[in-house]
């Protein structure tokens, strides 16, 4: 009888402690101010521009993209673009620095999100603007800025003759106590640890080449049965709180492919990062979470929580997978992500971004030329 009483008391104490920890994490203290307004895009100044193209040559449309940019500069009466190809050893940062040294006005990143992130690292707080030509699988920043992600010619026209606005970027320090290594990298859209990072790392390249971002769905199904991991989270220097999670994401902006608005209130220029904690325990939890995201339900559910902060630090007892903007970035035992407000000047459409991919671009000579190049290739 006494054993049962002690066991019941211990179980009750554990339940109370768990519940207290759960609610304390849900009430993580943070300094929050009203979300800043989206900065209005401003027209690009007319006249001659010096253009650099940082091109990932491994992309299928690399050659015709290069030809299109060269022709567009010629049509505008400008000098030929400075074309710099990425390499395995340097995915774009060194090339962008060379372009800056040459005094260009705009550096166009033609590749996937990894190329964009590498170019942005060099352009942060520099006078040259970033142009975007989406040749990758996810093209996440392009979608979040409202560019026509399925229209290379339209994106080029905006990169050369569109509007400009400043956006935030994030900087993350990844540390691994097991290997005694650390690194600091930027990201522009979203970084994560846990389930999402494992999916990114395990997506099959042949499926990505054939089906694009849908390839991640196949990897996601294979990783659904995994277990939650215990991590500690601190927002803006507040005391850390413990939580069992499947995934934690730090978002600079919130749109994903297929029009999914994963973090509805995230803004790319408000000086904050949005932290999303996912903690489903079963298929029911995943379904509940998916329904909330896809249906944009505003109610609170216990398997997904949202916070906002200028800085977030995460600790894990064992190494855990990470990803940055859809690229695997190794495993970590702790990380710190900070917002870098207004770090980048980006070429964008005239209107503020709406639903993913909502911006339309009217037919132009660039589009017709792009279509002719596609037919020839």
């Amino acid at each position: 009888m006494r054993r049962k009483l002690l066991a019941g008391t211990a179980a009750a104490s554990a339940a109370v402690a768990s519940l207290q920890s759960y609610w304390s994490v849900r009430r993580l203290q943070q300094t929050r101010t009203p979300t800043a307004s989206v900065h209005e895009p401003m027209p690009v100044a007319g006249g001659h521009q010096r253009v650099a193209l940082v091109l990932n040559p491994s992309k299928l449309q690399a050659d015709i993209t290069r030809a299109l940019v060269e022709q567009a500069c010629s049509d505008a009466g400008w000098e030929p673009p400075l074309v710099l190809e990425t390499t395995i050893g340097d995915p774009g940062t060194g090339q962008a620095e060379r372009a800056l040294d040459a005094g260009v006005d705009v550096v166009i990143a033609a590749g996937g999100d990894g190329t964009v992130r590498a170019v942005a690292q060099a352009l942060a707080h520099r006078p040259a603007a970033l142009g975007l030509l989406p040749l990758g699988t996810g093209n996440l920043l392009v979608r979040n800025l409202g560019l026509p992600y399925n229209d290379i010619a339209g994106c080029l026209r905006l990169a050369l003759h569109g509007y400009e606005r400043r956006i935030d970027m994030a900087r993350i320090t990844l540390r691994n106590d097991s290997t005694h290594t650390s690194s600091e990298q930027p990201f522009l859209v979203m970084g994560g640890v846990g389930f999402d990072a494992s999916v990114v790392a395990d997506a099959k390249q042949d499926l990505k080449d054939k089906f694009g971002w849908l390839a991640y769905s196949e990897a996601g199904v294979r990783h659904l049965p995994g277990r939650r991991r215990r991590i500690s989270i601190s927002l803006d220097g507040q005391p850390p709180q413990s939580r069992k999670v499947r995934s934690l994401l730090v978002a600079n902006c919130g749109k994903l492919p297929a029009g999914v608005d994963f973090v509805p209130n995230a803004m790319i220029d408000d000086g904050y990062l949005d932290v999303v904690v996912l903690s489903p325990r079963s298929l029911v939890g995943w379904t509940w979470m998916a329904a909330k995201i896809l249906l944009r339900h505003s109610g609170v559910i216990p398997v997904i929580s949202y916070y906002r902060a200028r800085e977030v630090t995460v600790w894990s007892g064992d190494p855990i997978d990470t990803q940055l903007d859809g690229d695997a970035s190794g495993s970590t035992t702790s990380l710190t992500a900070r917002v870098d407000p207004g770090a980048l000047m980006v070429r964008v459409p005239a209107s503020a971004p709406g639903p993913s991919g909502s911006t339309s671009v009217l037919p132009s000579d660039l589009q017709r030329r792009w279509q002719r190049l596609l037919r020839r290739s």
Side-chain angles (χ1 to χ4, degrees):
M1 184 70 178
R2 186 179 179 187
R3 286 183 181 179
K4 291 183 179 181
L5 180 60
L6 290 174
T9 303
S13 300
V16 171
S18 297
L19 186 61
Q20 184 178 18
S21 175
Y22 172 77
W23 283 109
S24 66
V25 173
R26 291 184 58 80
R27 295 196 307 267
L28 282 172
Q29 295 181 0
Q30 51 191 300
T31 55
R32 176 171 180 172
T33 58
T35 301
S37 300
V38 174
H39 296 314
E40 289 294 328
M42 302 296 293
V44 174
H48 182 274
Q49 293 186 66
R50 299 187 66 188
V51 178
L53 173 66
V54 177
L55 177 67
N56 184 338
S58 70
K59 299 302 181 182
L60 294 177
Q61 298 175 338
D63 290 339
I64 57 177
T65 297
R66 175 175 182 156
L68 190 70
V69 175
E70 291 174 340
Q71 186 62 54
C73 289
S74 176
D75 292 346
W78 304 340
E79 63 189 78
L82 174 62
V83 180
L84 303 164
E85 294 188 349
T86 66
T87 65
I88 295 176
D90 190 343
T93 302
Q95 293 83 349
E97 289 172 347
R98 287 171 56 191
L100 290 170
D101 291 341
V104 303
D105 300 293
V106 58
V107 180
I108 301 175
D113 291 300
T115 303
V116 172
R117 191 171 65 253
V119 171
Q121 183 171 353
L123 295 187
H125 303 289
R126 302 293 293 273
L130 172 66
L132 299 166
L133 296 184
L135 303 183
T137 302
N139 304 311
L140 296 175
L141 183 62
V142 167
R143 295 171 188 269
N144 277 274
L145 290 174
L147 276 73
Y149 60 86
N150 56 355
D151 178 5
I152 297 295
C155 286
L156 177 58
R157 190 150 56 105
L158 293 171
L160 299 179
H161 309 291
Y163 285 64
E164 292 181 333
R165 62 179 290 220
R166 287 212 161 268
I167 66 170
D168 303 338
M169 64 186 296
R171 299 186 181 276
I172 189 167
T173 302
L174 301 170
R175 296 171 290 267
N176 190 322
D177 292 338
S178 298
T179 58
H180 306 288
T181 57
S182 65
S183 64
E184 183 170 333
Q185 303 179 51
F187 68 92
L188 297 167
V189 178
M190 202 174 296
V193 300
F195 170 80
D196 64 298
S198 298
V199 169
V200 165
D202 206 24
K204 297 177 180 178
Q205 187 60 49
D206 60 332
L207 294 181
K208 290 168 64 176
D209 294 338
K210 186 177 295 186
F211 300 109
W213 60 267
L214 287 172
Y216 295 113
S217 300
E218 185 272 339
V221 170
R222 285 189 281 116
H223 282 274
L224 274 180
R227 301 179 63 182
R228 297 186 300 171
R229 300 279 297 273
R230 183 170 293 281
I231 63 173
S232 296
I233 312 165
S234 172
L235 302 178
D236 288 332
Q238 295 295 325
Q241 302 288 344
S242 178
R243 185 85 177 263
K244 278 189 173 182
V245 308
R246 284 299 308 273
S247 191
L248 179 142
L249 298 112
V250 182
N252 189 35
C253 46
K255 289 186 175 63
L256 298 177
V260 176
D261 203 352
F262 189 74
V263 193
N265 296 323
M267 300 180 72
I268 201 168
D269 60 354
D270 62 354
Y272 279 87
L273 298 173
D274 289 79
V275 182
V276 187
V277 179
L278 310 177
S279 56
R281 300 180 61 178
S282 64
L283 182 59
V284 173
W286 283 113
T287 304
W288 196 1
M289 186 181 71
K292 173 179 171 60
I293 294 170
L294 296 176
L295 300 177
R296 301 184 182 183
H297 178 60
S298 60
V300 175
I301 63 174
V303 294
I304 182 169
S305 305
Y306 298 93
Y307 310 99
R308 299 179 70 239
R310 297 182 187 274
E311 178 179 302
V312 56
T313 300
V314 177
W315 297 268
S316 173
D318 298 313
I320 188 170
D321 289 339
T322 67
Q323 62 86 14
L324 300 175
D325 290 349
D327 291 326
S329 50
S331 58
T332 185
T333 54
S334 66
L335 65 84
T336 300
R338 306 175 184 84
V339 67
D340 189 355
L344 288 174
M345 182 72 78
V346 185
R347 296 282 172 91
V348 296
S351 58
S356 181
S358 63
T359 303
S360 61
V361 178
L362 296 176
S364 66
D365 290 339
L366 279 177
Q367 284 178 304
R368 288 189 285 272
R369 187 172 291 116
W370 173 257
Q371 291 164 0
R372 286 198 298 270
L373 287 169
L374 282 175
R375 286 194 293 269
R376 293 173 188 168
S377 61

